[in-house]
Amino acid sequence: MTKRLLITLFALTALLTGSVRAKADRIVLAPLALTLPANDIKLDTMISPYRRNENFSWVQISTPQGIELEYNRWDLLGDRRLRDSFNIQYPLFSDFGSIPAISIGVRDLLGTGIEKQSLYLSVGKSIFLSDKQINLWKEIKISAGAGTGRFEGVFLGVAARLNCGVSLNAELYRYRPDYSVGVPLLRHLEAKAHSLNGQIYYGLTFQLSR
C-alpha cells in the first residue's frame, strides 16, 4: 500500500474507533506516548521576540476515547506563507503497571504545513518515585520513538513536574536539543519559556478539562 493510503486508513481508524484513556501530549515539540485526558482542550503558543516574532500555536482536543486531534499553525521567519497542519495521535496502550504507554500518530495529515504527512510511533513510561523523591517531584515521564519525514528518525525526552507545579521538559528531536520550563499562573494557565535548538521562545499554555 502507498504511504497516502496508509495515512488515510490510520486517520479513519483513529476517528471511528478506540477506547484507551491516557494523558499528556508533547515533550517540547516531539510527541509523548500519552495523549491528553479524554475530553480535554488545550491551547499553546510560542513566540520568539528575537526572531521578528516568529511564532507557533496549537489547538488540541481529546475525544471521549482519548484520541488527540490537533490544529497547528507555524509563522516562520523568512517564510512568506503561514503553515497550517492537522495532526492525529492515537493511543494504543496506556501507562499501567509494567506496560508502557504506546501511541501512533501522523503530523500534517493534509500536507498543508511543513511536516508533510510524517508518521511516528512513541513509547513512554512514568518513573517510579521513592518516598524521598515524592517530597520534591510530582511525576517524571520518559518517552522515546521514531518517525518518518520531518521526524528524521529517533527522538527521546523527559517530562517532569515538581510538587510546586513547575514543569521541566527536555528532548533530543531532529538531532537537536530542546528545553522548556513552565510556571503555573492561574488554574488551567501556565507561562513557559522554551529553547529550540538554542533559540528562545516564550509562551502560554491553557488546558481545560470538560
Short mmCIF file of all heavy atoms in Angstrom, two decimals, residues 3-8 10-11 26 29 31 57-59 68-74 76 79 81-89 104-120 148-151 173-174:
data_model
loop_
_atom_site.label_atom_id
_atom_site.label_comp_id
_atom_site.label_asym_id
_atom_site.label_seq_id
_atom_site.Cartn_x
_atom_site.Cartn_y
_atom_site.Cartn_z
N LYS A 3 1.99 5.22 0.91
CA LYS A 3 2.01 5.99 2.16
C LYS A 3 0.72 6.77 2.34
O LYS A 3 0.16 6.84 3.43
CB LYS A 3 3.21 6.94 2.16
CG LYS A 3 3.33 7.77 3.42
CD LYS A 3 4.55 8.67 3.35
CE LYS A 3 4.64 9.56 4.57
NZ LYS A 3 5.81 10.47 4.50
N ARG A 4 0.20 7.35 1.26
CA ARG A 4 -1.04 8.12 1.35
C ARG A 4 -2.22 7.24 1.79
O ARG A 4 -3.04 7.65 2.60
CB ARG A 4 -1.35 8.78 0.01
CG ARG A 4 -2.54 9.74 0.05
CD ARG A 4 -2.71 10.42 -1.30
NE ARG A 4 -1.55 11.23 -1.63
CZ ARG A 4 -1.39 12.49 -1.21
NH1 ARG A 4 -2.30 13.06 -0.44
NH2 ARG A 4 -0.32 13.17 -1.56
N LEU A 5 -2.28 6.03 1.28
CA LEU A 5 -3.35 5.12 1.66
C LEU A 5 -3.22 4.71 3.12
O LEU A 5 -4.21 4.64 3.85
CB LEU A 5 -3.34 3.88 0.76
CG LEU A 5 -4.42 2.81 1.05
CD1 LEU A 5 -5.81 3.43 0.98
CD2 LEU A 5 -4.28 1.65 0.09
N LEU A 6 -1.98 4.46 3.57
CA LEU A 6 -1.77 4.12 4.97
C LEU A 6 -2.21 5.24 5.90
O LEU A 6 -2.83 5.02 6.93
CB LEU A 6 -0.28 3.81 5.21
CG LEU A 6 0.22 2.45 4.71
CD1 LEU A 6 1.74 2.39 4.82
CD2 LEU A 6 -0.43 1.32 5.49
N ILE A 7 -1.89 6.48 5.52
CA ILE A 7 -2.29 7.63 6.33
C ILE A 7 -3.81 7.76 6.38
O ILE A 7 -4.41 8.01 7.43
CB ILE A 7 -1.65 8.92 5.77
CG1 ILE A 7 -0.14 8.87 6.00
CG2 ILE A 7 -2.24 10.16 6.42
CD1 ILE A 7 0.61 9.99 5.32
N THR A 8 -4.47 7.56 5.24
CA THR A 8 -5.93 7.65 5.20
C THR A 8 -6.58 6.58 6.07
O THR A 8 -7.52 6.87 6.83
CB THR A 8 -6.43 7.50 3.74
OG1 THR A 8 -5.82 8.52 2.95
CG2 THR A 8 -7.93 7.62 3.67
N PHE A 10 -5.22 5.07 8.62
CA PHE A 10 -4.94 5.41 10.02
C PHE A 10 -5.89 6.47 10.54
O PHE A 10 -6.43 6.38 11.64
CB PHE A 10 -3.49 5.91 10.16
CG PHE A 10 -3.23 6.57 11.47
CD1 PHE A 10 -3.04 5.83 12.62
CD2 PHE A 10 -3.22 7.96 11.57
CE1 PHE A 10 -2.83 6.45 13.83
CE2 PHE A 10 -3.01 8.58 12.77
CZ PHE A 10 -2.80 7.82 13.91
N ALA A 11 -6.12 7.51 9.75
CA ALA A 11 -6.99 8.60 10.18
C ALA A 11 -8.42 8.11 10.41
O ALA A 11 -9.07 8.47 11.40
CB ALA A 11 -6.99 9.71 9.13
N ARG A 26 2.88 16.47 24.38
CA ARG A 26 4.19 16.73 23.79
C ARG A 26 5.24 16.88 24.88
O ARG A 26 4.93 17.25 26.01
CB ARG A 26 4.17 18.03 22.97
CG ARG A 26 3.50 17.94 21.64
CD ARG A 26 3.78 19.20 20.80
NE ARG A 26 3.54 20.42 21.52
CZ ARG A 26 2.34 21.00 21.65
NH1 ARG A 26 1.29 20.45 21.09
NH2 ARG A 26 2.20 22.11 22.33
N LEU A 29 8.56 19.68 21.41
CA LEU A 29 7.94 19.55 20.09
C LEU A 29 7.64 18.09 19.75
O LEU A 29 6.69 17.79 19.05
CB LEU A 29 8.86 20.14 19.01
CG LEU A 29 9.07 21.66 19.06
CD1 LEU A 29 10.05 22.07 17.95
CD2 LEU A 29 7.77 22.42 18.91
N PRO A 31 6.40 14.20 20.23
CA PRO A 31 5.22 13.67 20.91
C PRO A 31 5.57 12.75 22.08
O PRO A 31 6.46 11.90 21.98
CB PRO A 31 4.51 12.87 19.80
CG PRO A 31 5.61 12.46 18.88
CD PRO A 31 6.61 13.59 18.91
N SER A 57 1.63 27.95 17.19
CA SER A 57 0.44 27.80 18.03
C SER A 57 -0.22 26.45 17.76
O SER A 57 -0.13 25.91 16.66
CB SER A 57 -0.56 28.94 17.78
OG SER A 57 -0.93 29.01 16.43
N TRP A 58 -0.87 25.94 18.81
CA TRP A 58 -1.54 24.64 18.73
C TRP A 58 -2.91 24.73 19.40
O TRP A 58 -3.07 25.40 20.43
CB TRP A 58 -0.75 23.57 19.47
CG TRP A 58 0.59 23.23 18.92
CD1 TRP A 58 0.92 22.22 18.06
CD2 TRP A 58 1.84 23.88 19.20
NE1 TRP A 58 2.25 22.20 17.78
CE2 TRP A 58 2.85 23.22 18.48
CE3 TRP A 58 2.18 24.98 20.00
CZ2 TRP A 58 4.18 23.61 18.53
CZ3 TRP A 58 3.51 25.37 20.05
CH2 TRP A 58 4.49 24.69 19.33
N VAL A 59 -3.87 24.04 18.84
CA VAL A 59 -5.18 23.82 19.47
C VAL A 59 -5.40 22.31 19.48
O VAL A 59 -5.40 21.68 18.41
CB VAL A 59 -6.33 24.52 18.71
CG1 VAL A 59 -7.66 24.21 19.38
CG2 VAL A 59 -6.10 26.02 18.65
N GLU A 68 -6.32 12.15 20.20
CA GLU A 68 -5.97 13.57 20.22
C GLU A 68 -5.99 14.15 18.80
O GLU A 68 -5.28 13.68 17.92
CB GLU A 68 -4.58 13.73 20.83
CG GLU A 68 -4.19 15.17 21.09
CD GLU A 68 -2.86 15.23 21.82
OE1 GLU A 68 -2.84 14.89 23.02
OE2 GLU A 68 -1.86 15.58 21.19
N LEU A 69 -6.81 15.17 18.61
CA LEU A 69 -6.90 15.89 17.35
C LEU A 69 -6.27 17.27 17.55
O LEU A 69 -6.59 17.97 18.51
CB LEU A 69 -8.37 16.04 16.92
CG LEU A 69 -9.22 14.77 16.93
CD1 LEU A 69 -10.65 15.08 16.56
CD2 LEU A 69 -8.63 13.71 16.00
N GLU A 70 -5.39 17.66 16.64
CA GLU A 70 -4.61 18.88 16.85
C GLU A 70 -4.54 19.72 15.58
O GLU A 70 -4.30 19.20 14.49
CB GLU A 70 -3.20 18.51 17.29
CG GLU A 70 -2.27 19.71 17.51
CD GLU A 70 -0.89 19.28 17.94
OE1 GLU A 70 -0.11 18.80 17.08
OE2 GLU A 70 -0.58 19.39 19.14
N TYR A 71 -4.76 21.03 15.76
CA TYR A 71 -4.51 22.01 14.70
C TYR A 71 -3.26 22.77 15.06
O TYR A 71 -3.11 23.27 16.19
CB TYR A 71 -5.69 22.96 14.55
CG TYR A 71 -5.38 24.17 13.69
CD1 TYR A 71 -5.33 24.06 12.30
CD2 TYR A 71 -5.12 25.41 14.27
CE1 TYR A 71 -5.03 25.17 11.51
CE2 TYR A 71 -4.82 26.52 13.49
CZ TYR A 71 -4.78 26.39 12.11
OH TYR A 71 -4.48 27.48 11.34
N ASN A 72 -2.31 22.88 14.14
CA ASN A 72 -1.02 23.51 14.39
C ASN A 72 -0.77 24.59 13.33
O ASN A 72 -0.98 24.37 12.14
CB ASN A 72 0.07 22.44 14.33
CG ASN A 72 1.47 22.96 14.59
OD1 ASN A 72 2.43 22.36 14.16
ND2 ASN A 72 1.60 24.08 15.30
N ARG A 73 -0.32 25.77 13.80
CA ARG A 73 -0.02 26.88 12.89
C ARG A 73 1.41 27.35 13.12
O ARG A 73 1.83 27.57 14.25
CB ARG A 73 -1.00 28.02 13.12
CG ARG A 73 -0.84 29.18 12.14
CD ARG A 73 -2.01 30.13 12.23
NE ARG A 73 -1.92 31.19 11.25
CZ ARG A 73 -2.89 32.05 10.98
NH1 ARG A 73 -4.04 31.95 11.62
NH2 ARG A 73 -2.74 32.99 10.07
N TRP A 74 2.16 27.51 12.02
CA TRP A 74 3.55 27.93 12.07
C TRP A 74 3.70 29.26 11.33
O TRP A 74 3.28 29.37 10.18
CB TRP A 74 4.46 26.91 11.38
CG TRP A 74 4.34 25.50 11.86
CD1 TRP A 74 3.29 24.66 11.68
CD2 TRP A 74 5.31 24.76 12.59
NE1 TRP A 74 3.54 23.44 12.24
CE2 TRP A 74 4.78 23.47 12.80
CE3 TRP A 74 6.60 25.05 13.06
CZ2 TRP A 74 5.47 22.48 13.48
CZ3 TRP A 74 7.29 24.05 13.74
CH2 TRP A 74 6.74 22.79 13.95
N LEU A 76 6.87 31.22 10.36
CA LEU A 76 8.31 31.07 10.41
C LEU A 76 9.03 32.26 9.78
O LEU A 76 8.59 32.80 8.77
CB LEU A 76 8.72 29.79 9.68
CG LEU A 76 8.12 28.49 10.24
CD1 LEU A 76 8.47 27.32 9.34
CD2 LEU A 76 8.61 28.24 11.65
N ASP A 79 9.64 32.83 5.85
CA ASP A 79 8.63 32.11 5.08
C ASP A 79 7.45 33.05 4.85
O ASP A 79 6.84 33.53 5.80
CB ASP A 79 8.17 30.86 5.84
CG ASP A 79 7.34 29.91 4.99
OD1 ASP A 79 6.78 30.37 3.97
OD2 ASP A 79 7.23 28.73 5.34
N ARG A 81 4.55 32.38 3.77
CA ARG A 81 3.24 31.75 4.00
C ARG A 81 3.08 31.31 5.44
O ARG A 81 4.05 30.90 6.09
CB ARG A 81 3.10 30.51 3.10
CG ARG A 81 3.01 30.79 1.62
CD ARG A 81 2.90 29.50 0.85
NE ARG A 81 1.78 28.68 1.33
CZ ARG A 81 1.60 27.41 1.00
NH1 ARG A 81 2.47 26.79 0.20
NH2 ARG A 81 0.55 26.74 1.46
N LEU A 82 1.85 31.40 5.95
CA LEU A 82 1.52 30.77 7.21
C LEU A 82 1.28 29.29 6.94
O LEU A 82 0.58 28.93 5.99
CB LEU A 82 0.26 31.40 7.82
CG LEU A 82 0.40 32.81 8.37
CD1 LEU A 82 -0.96 33.33 8.80
CD2 LEU A 82 1.35 32.84 9.55
N ARG A 83 1.87 28.44 7.76
CA ARG A 83 1.76 26.99 7.56
C ARG A 83 0.77 26.41 8.57
O ARG A 83 0.95 26.54 9.78
CB ARG A 83 3.12 26.34 7.73
CG ARG A 83 4.20 26.91 6.81
CD ARG A 83 3.98 26.53 5.36
NE ARG A 83 5.01 27.11 4.50
CZ ARG A 83 5.16 26.82 3.22
NH1 ARG A 83 4.34 25.95 2.64
NH2 ARG A 83 6.10 27.38 2.50
N ASP A 84 -0.28 25.77 8.07
CA ASP A 84 -1.30 25.15 8.91
C ASP A 84 -1.26 23.65 8.72
O ASP A 84 -1.09 23.16 7.60
CB ASP A 84 -2.70 25.65 8.55
CG ASP A 84 -2.81 27.16 8.68
OD1 ASP A 84 -3.05 27.63 9.79
OD2 ASP A 84 -2.64 27.85 7.65
N SER A 85 -1.44 22.91 9.82
CA SER A 85 -1.46 21.46 9.69
C SER A 85 -2.47 20.86 10.66
O SER A 85 -2.81 21.44 11.69
CB SER A 85 -0.07 20.86 9.93
OG SER A 85 0.38 21.12 11.24
N PHE A 86 -2.93 19.67 10.31
CA PHE A 86 -3.86 18.90 11.14
C PHE A 86 -3.17 17.60 11.52
O PHE A 86 -2.66 16.88 10.67
CB PHE A 86 -5.15 18.61 10.36
CG PHE A 86 -6.12 17.75 11.10
CD1 PHE A 86 -6.71 18.20 12.28
CD2 PHE A 86 -6.45 16.49 10.63
CE1 PHE A 86 -7.61 17.40 12.97
CE2 PHE A 86 -7.36 15.69 11.32
CZ PHE A 86 -7.94 16.15 12.49
N ASN A 87 -3.14 17.32 12.83
CA ASN A 87 -2.42 16.16 13.36
C ASN A 87 -3.36 15.25 14.15
O ASN A 87 -4.32 15.71 14.76
CB ASN A 87 -1.28 16.61 14.28
CG ASN A 87 -0.45 17.73 13.68
OD1 ASN A 87 -0.14 17.72 12.49
ND2 ASN A 87 -0.10 18.71 14.50
N ILE A 88 -3.05 13.96 14.17
CA ILE A 88 -3.81 12.99 14.95
C ILE A 88 -2.85 12.09 15.71
O ILE A 88 -1.85 11.63 15.14
CB ILE A 88 -4.72 12.11 14.06
CG1 ILE A 88 -5.72 12.94 13.28
CG2 ILE A 88 -5.46 11.08 14.92
CD1 ILE A 88 -6.59 12.13 12.33
N GLN A 89 -3.14 11.85 16.98
CA GLN A 89 -2.37 10.89 17.78
C GLN A 89 -3.35 9.90 18.40
O GLN A 89 -4.33 10.29 19.03
CB GLN A 89 -1.55 11.59 18.86
CG GLN A 89 -0.64 10.62 19.62
CD GLN A 89 0.31 11.33 20.56
OE1 GLN A 89 0.37 12.56 20.59
NE2 GLN A 89 1.06 10.58 21.34
N ILE A 104 0.51 5.88 18.26
CA ILE A 104 0.93 6.15 16.89
C ILE A 104 0.28 7.45 16.45
O ILE A 104 -0.74 7.87 17.00
CB ILE A 104 0.55 5.01 15.93
CG1 ILE A 104 -0.97 4.74 15.98
CG2 ILE A 104 1.33 3.75 16.24
CD1 ILE A 104 -1.45 3.72 14.98
N GLY A 105 0.87 8.10 15.47
CA GLY A 105 0.30 9.38 15.04
C GLY A 105 0.77 9.78 13.67
O GLY A 105 1.67 9.17 13.08
N VAL A 106 0.15 10.83 13.18
CA VAL A 106 0.55 11.44 11.92
C VAL A 106 0.51 12.95 12.09
O VAL A 106 -0.43 13.50 12.65
CB VAL A 106 -0.36 10.97 10.75
CG1 VAL A 106 -1.82 11.29 11.02
CG2 VAL A 106 0.08 11.62 9.43
N ARG A 107 1.57 13.61 11.67
CA ARG A 107 1.64 15.06 11.66
C ARG A 107 1.36 15.56 10.24
O ARG A 107 1.80 14.97 9.27
CB ARG A 107 3.03 15.53 12.11
CG ARG A 107 3.37 15.22 13.58
CD ARG A 107 3.00 16.38 14.48
NE ARG A 107 3.29 16.13 15.88
CZ ARG A 107 4.44 16.49 16.48
NH1 ARG A 107 5.39 17.08 15.78
NH2 ARG A 107 4.63 16.26 17.76
N ASP A 108 0.65 16.68 10.16
CA ASP A 108 0.36 17.33 8.87
C ASP A 108 -0.34 16.36 7.92
O ASP A 108 0.11 16.08 6.82
CB ASP A 108 1.65 17.86 8.25
CG ASP A 108 1.39 18.83 7.11
OD1 ASP A 108 0.23 19.27 6.95
OD2 ASP A 108 2.35 19.13 6.37
N LEU A 109 -1.48 15.86 8.39
CA LEU A 109 -2.25 14.84 7.66
C LEU A 109 -2.58 15.26 6.24
O LEU A 109 -2.52 14.47 5.30
CB LEU A 109 -3.54 14.53 8.44
CG LEU A 109 -4.52 13.56 7.81
CD1 LEU A 109 -3.91 12.17 7.70
CD2 LEU A 109 -5.82 13.51 8.59
N LEU A 110 -2.92 16.54 6.04
CA LEU A 110 -3.36 17.02 4.72
C LEU A 110 -2.21 17.56 3.87
O LEU A 110 -2.44 17.96 2.73
CB LEU A 110 -4.43 18.10 4.91
CG LEU A 110 -5.66 17.68 5.73
CD1 LEU A 110 -6.63 18.84 5.89
CD2 LEU A 110 -6.36 16.48 5.11
N GLY A 111 -1.01 17.59 4.43
CA GLY A 111 0.15 18.06 3.67
C GLY A 111 0.17 19.55 3.41
O GLY A 111 0.79 20.01 2.46
N THR A 112 -0.47 20.34 4.29
CA THR A 112 -0.54 21.79 4.10
C THR A 112 0.48 22.56 4.94
O THR A 112 0.61 23.77 4.80
CB THR A 112 -1.95 22.30 4.46
OG1 THR A 112 -2.27 21.87 5.80
CG2 THR A 112 -2.99 21.74 3.51
N GLY A 113 1.18 21.87 5.84
CA GLY A 113 2.16 22.53 6.70
C GLY A 113 3.58 22.25 6.27
O GLY A 113 3.88 22.20 5.08
N ILE A 114 4.48 22.02 7.26
CA ILE A 114 5.88 21.77 6.94
C ILE A 114 6.30 20.34 7.26
O ILE A 114 7.41 19.94 6.90
CB ILE A 114 6.80 22.76 7.68
CG1 ILE A 114 6.74 22.53 9.19
CG2 ILE A 114 6.45 24.19 7.33
CD1 ILE A 114 7.78 23.30 9.95
N GLU A 115 5.44 19.57 7.94
CA GLU A 115 5.85 18.22 8.33
C GLU A 115 5.41 17.15 7.34
O GLU A 115 5.85 16.00 7.43
CB GLU A 115 5.34 17.92 9.75
CG GLU A 115 5.99 18.82 10.76
CD GLU A 115 5.48 18.63 12.17
OE1 GLU A 115 4.29 18.88 12.41
OE2 GLU A 115 6.27 18.22 13.04
N LYS A 116 4.52 17.49 6.41
CA LYS A 116 4.23 16.70 5.23
C LYS A 116 3.95 15.22 5.50
O LYS A 116 4.71 14.34 5.13
CB LYS A 116 5.37 16.82 4.22
CG LYS A 116 5.66 18.25 3.78
CD LYS A 116 4.45 18.91 3.12
CE LYS A 116 4.77 20.33 2.67
NZ LYS A 116 3.60 21.03 2.15
N GLN A 117 2.88 14.95 6.25
CA GLN A 117 2.38 13.60 6.45
C GLN A 117 3.43 12.67 7.06
O GLN A 117 3.70 11.58 6.57
CB GLN A 117 1.86 13.03 5.12
CG GLN A 117 0.72 13.88 4.55
CD GLN A 117 0.31 13.47 3.16
OE1 GLN A 117 1.11 12.96 2.39
NE2 GLN A 117 -0.95 13.70 2.83
N SER A 118 4.03 13.12 8.15
CA SER A 118 5.05 12.34 8.86
C SER A 118 4.39 11.41 9.86
O SER A 118 3.60 11.84 10.71
CB SER A 118 6.02 13.28 9.60
OG SER A 118 6.69 14.13 8.69
N LEU A 119 4.70 10.13 9.77
CA LEU A 119 4.16 9.12 10.67
C LEU A 119 5.13 8.87 11.81
O LEU A 119 6.34 9.00 11.65
CB LEU A 119 3.91 7.81 9.92
CG LEU A 119 2.93 7.86 8.74
CD1 LEU A 119 3.03 6.58 7.93
CD2 LEU A 119 1.51 8.06 9.24
N TYR A 120 4.61 8.47 13.00
CA TYR A 120 5.51 8.17 14.11
C TYR A 120 4.92 7.16 15.07
O TYR A 120 3.70 6.93 15.11
CB TYR A 120 5.86 9.46 14.88
CG TYR A 120 4.69 10.11 15.58
CD1 TYR A 120 4.32 9.75 16.88
CD2 TYR A 120 3.95 11.11 14.95
CE1 TYR A 120 3.25 10.36 17.52
CE2 TYR A 120 2.88 11.73 15.58
CZ TYR A 120 2.54 11.35 16.87
OH TYR A 120 1.47 11.95 17.50
N THR A 148 8.89 9.10 10.47
CA THR A 148 9.31 9.32 9.08
C THR A 148 9.37 10.82 8.79
O THR A 148 8.95 11.65 9.59
CB THR A 148 8.33 8.65 8.12
OG1 THR A 148 7.05 9.31 8.22
CG2 THR A 148 8.14 7.18 8.45
N GLY A 149 9.85 11.17 7.61
CA GLY A 149 9.81 12.56 7.15
C GLY A 149 10.53 13.50 8.08
O GLY A 149 11.68 13.30 8.44
N ARG A 150 9.83 14.56 8.50
CA ARG A 150 10.43 15.61 9.31
C ARG A 150 10.87 15.15 10.69
O ARG A 150 11.61 15.85 11.37
CB ARG A 150 9.44 16.77 9.45
CG ARG A 150 9.30 17.62 8.21
CD ARG A 150 10.45 18.58 8.05
NE ARG A 150 10.41 19.61 9.08
CZ ARG A 150 11.35 20.52 9.27
NH1 ARG A 150 12.42 20.52 8.51
NH2 ARG A 150 11.23 21.44 10.21
N PHE A 151 10.43 13.97 11.13
CA PHE A 151 10.91 13.46 12.42
C PHE A 151 12.39 13.09 12.34
O PHE A 151 13.08 13.07 13.35
CB PHE A 151 10.09 12.24 12.85
CG PHE A 151 8.77 12.60 13.47
CD1 PHE A 151 7.63 12.66 12.69
CD2 PHE A 151 8.67 12.90 14.81
CE1 PHE A 151 6.40 13.01 13.25
CE2 PHE A 151 7.45 13.24 15.39
CZ PHE A 151 6.31 13.30 14.60
N TYR A 173 15.39 16.01 19.53
CA TYR A 173 14.41 15.91 18.46
C TYR A 173 15.01 16.47 17.18
O TYR A 173 15.52 17.60 17.18
CB TYR A 173 13.16 16.69 18.87
CG TYR A 173 12.02 16.64 17.90
CD1 TYR A 173 11.57 15.44 17.38
CD2 TYR A 173 11.36 17.80 17.52
CE1 TYR A 173 10.49 15.40 16.49
CE2 TYR A 173 10.28 17.78 16.64
CZ TYR A 173 9.86 16.57 16.14
OH TYR A 173 8.80 16.53 15.26
N ARG A 174 14.97 15.71 16.10
CA ARG A 174 15.63 16.09 14.85
C ARG A 174 17.12 16.35 15.07
O ARG A 174 17.70 17.26 14.50
CB ARG A 174 14.95 17.31 14.22
CG ARG A 174 13.49 17.07 13.87
CD ARG A 174 12.82 18.34 13.41
NE ARG A 174 11.39 18.14 13.22
CZ ARG A 174 10.50 19.12 13.16
NH1 ARG A 174 10.90 20.38 13.27
NH2 ARG A 174 9.21 18.85 12.98
#
